[in-house]
Amino acid sequence: TVDTTAPSVSLKAGGSTISSGSYTNKAITFTASDSYSTNRIYYRSPSSSSYTWTTGSKSVSATSANNGWWYFYGSDTYQSTSTYSVYLDTVAPVGKITNSSGTTLSSGSYTNKPVKYTATDTGGVSYLQVQTPGSSSWASYSSGTALSSATGWYYFRAVDKAGNISSTSSVYYDHTLPTGTLYGGTTVKSSGGFTNASYVKYVPSDSHSGIQNIYVRKPGSTSYVAYTSGTQLTAEGTYYFYCTDKSGNSSSTVNITLDKTVPTGTLYGGTTTKSSGSYTNASYVKYTASDSLSGVNAIYVKMPGSSYYTSYSSGTQLATEGTYYFYCVDKAGNESSTVSITLDAPAAGELDILLLDETHDAEVIGSAAANTPITLTLRPN
């Protein structure tokens, strides 16, 4: 017998012929046959440093224990084939998402920084893919490229050289700040405003990643505490609110002052305080207003002989005789009670009649023309 031909061989993965040097995640079969002399198949497993032989064919099941490079060749009595190699890999690659600061993010998490994706695989990664917000298809992705072009969910996956696909990793990118709405009762209020409603409340919103936490600093406090959206707060004073979304963005801080207390006013006849409805013969009258929470917003006076109120500056001296009416309004809209005082100065040629008690406190009880006899009748209190 003359035999100058090496055995014929075939290398298959999952029943399909593959070339030497290929990667696969399917069962491998190597066969060798020769028509003229006895042939053998020699193979070396990933865990071995030497070849072992068998006849007919050699099958390698697709299990993790068999992963790695396999080498085969056929040999008859006189000559051998070239060596064939194939890499068996049944383990999917592993991907990792990080933000632009290098922080590793778990799949399904949120971030306000650009996102990146990388993957590793024992046999080597073939390519990476990304599905951007609003898209339903996978696109090619370059490892480590920072993405922040759109707000929403980013999905990543990796495919290794054997065709194994990693699990899909996702992250939500949101760089938009959440917002909050202030209410005085049921009325929307701007930050820095005042209200005399029965309560204040705060309602945050975020149309992207969603609200994570809400905080309030209550009147008289120096620290923030957790707050539940829409909770009615009734204590008077200034409240500060802010919120954060799931991506870590913080809203601007807003404040509102709840003031349900009416302002107060003080009447003067000259430099002496007077009660409402009193009379004075001082040279002027004036009115001052105060409010300890929101502060005085406006003061009004109705002058003698007038039928309407006009704006008044606190402490302005008014010297026209007659009855004055005053009231004030604070910044929260609370209105004081109306008070009045009558200025009645002695006319030229008249004398005030004073009644003095033993403490020498004097009270004007009337007036009379000079050189005119008068009669006083004194009665017990």
Side-chain angles (χ1 to χ4, degrees):
T1 300
V2 177
D3 182 4
T4 61
T5 304
S8 60
V9 298
S10 70
L11 178 63
K12 293 184 178 182
S16 299
T17 300
I18 60 174
S19 59
S20 179
S22 296
Y23 292 77
T24 186
N25 57 6
K26 298 179 175 62
I28 304 167
T29 302
F30 184 81
T31 60
S33 61
D34 191 273
S35 301
Y36 300 104
S37 58
T38 303
N39 71 85
R40 294 177 177 179
I41 293 173
Y42 289 85
Y43 63 90
R44 193 180 81 192
S45 68
S47 61
S48 177
S49 60
S50 61
Y51 282 88
T52 303
W53 66 271
T54 187
T55 59
S57 65
K58 172 62 180 177
S59 294
V60 179
S61 59
T63 63
S64 59
N66 290 329
N67 283 348
W69 282 107
W70 286 83
Y71 297 92
F72 307 91
Y73 69 88
S75 177
D76 60 20
T77 305
Y78 304 105
Q79 54 266 313
S80 299
T81 68
S82 59
T83 300
Y84 291 76
S85 63
V86 61
Y87 191 92
L88 177 63
D89 180 5
T90 61
V91 179
V94 177
K96 181 176 72 171
I97 301 175
T98 59
N99 61 25
S100 57
S101 297
T103 302
T104 300
L105 305 173
S106 59
S107 181
S109 62
Y110 299 81
T111 184
N112 57 7
K113 295 181 174 63
V115 296
K116 301 179 179 181
Y117 181 74
T118 56
T120 57
D121 187 85
T122 303
V125 175
S126 179
Y127 58 90
L128 307 177
Q129 292 180 314
V130 63
Q131 198 175 107
T132 55
S135 175
S136 58
S137 59
W138 292 100
S140 179
Y141 171 78
S142 297
S143 179
T145 302
L147 300 177
S148 60
S149 59
T151 298
W153 285 105
Y154 287 82
Y155 299 90
F156 298 92
R157 70 180 183 183
V159 181
D160 65 19
K161 295 178 180 179
N164 298 299
I165 301 174
S166 71
S167 58
T168 299
S169 299
S170 63
V171 65
Y172 194 99
Y173 170 73
D174 175 13
H175 192 61
T176 304
L177 304 184
T179 59
T181 303
L182 287 169
Y183 289 86
T186 59
T187 303
V188 175
K189 295 289 184 178
S190 58
S191 179
F194 304 86
T195 182
N196 60 357
S198 58
Y199 63 87
V200 296
K201 67 179 182 180
Y202 177 76
V203 179
S205 64
D206 187 89
S207 59
H208 300 293
S209 59
I211 296 298
Q212 179 71 19
N213 294 302
I214 316 170
Y215 300 96
V216 61
R217 194 177 89 194
K218 297 180 179 180
S221 176
T222 58
S223 58
Y224 284 88
V225 296
Y227 171 79
T228 301
S229 176
T231 300
Q232 298 178 4
L233 303 172
T234 58
E236 289 187 295
T238 302
Y239 293 85
Y240 296 85
F241 299 90
Y242 76 95
C243 58
T244 61
D245 64 19
K246 294 177 182 178
S247 295
N249 300 299
S250 292
S251 71
S252 57
T253 300
V254 294
N255 69 83
I256 187 171
T257 299
L258 177 61
D259 179 5
K260 296 179 282 187
T261 303
V262 298
T264 58
T266 304
L267 284 169
Y268 290 85
T271 59
T272 304
T273 57
K274 295 289 183 178
S275 59
S276 179
S278 65
Y279 295 80
T280 181
N281 65 346
S283 58
Y284 63 87
V285 296
K286 68 178 182 179
Y287 177 81
T288 60
S290 64
D291 186 90
S292 59
L293 289 174
S294 60
V296 175
N297 187 50
I299 311 174
Y300 300 94
V301 61
K302 187 167 74 173
M303 307 284 285
S306 177
S307 59
Y308 56 88
Y309 285 86
T310 58
S311 181
Y312 171 79
S313 296
S314 180
T316 300
Q317 298 177 5
L318 303 172
T320 302
E321 287 190 299
T323 302
Y324 293 85
Y325 296 87
F326 298 90
Y327 75 93
C328 59
V329 181
D330 65 20
K331 294 177 181 178
N334 299 297
E335 186 175 303
S336 72
S337 58
T338 300
V339 294
S340 66
I341 187 171
T342 300
L343 177 61
D344 182 11
E350 286 189 348
L351 297 175
D352 282 337
I353 302 171
L354 305 180
L355 178 62
L356 280 72
D357 61 19
E358 60 268 20
T359 63
H360 301 291
D361 288 332
E363 180 182 356
V364 178
I365 60 172
S367 62
N371 301 317
T372 302
I374 60 172
T375 300
L376 298 181
T377 302
L378 305 181
R379 291 186 294 271
N381 286 337

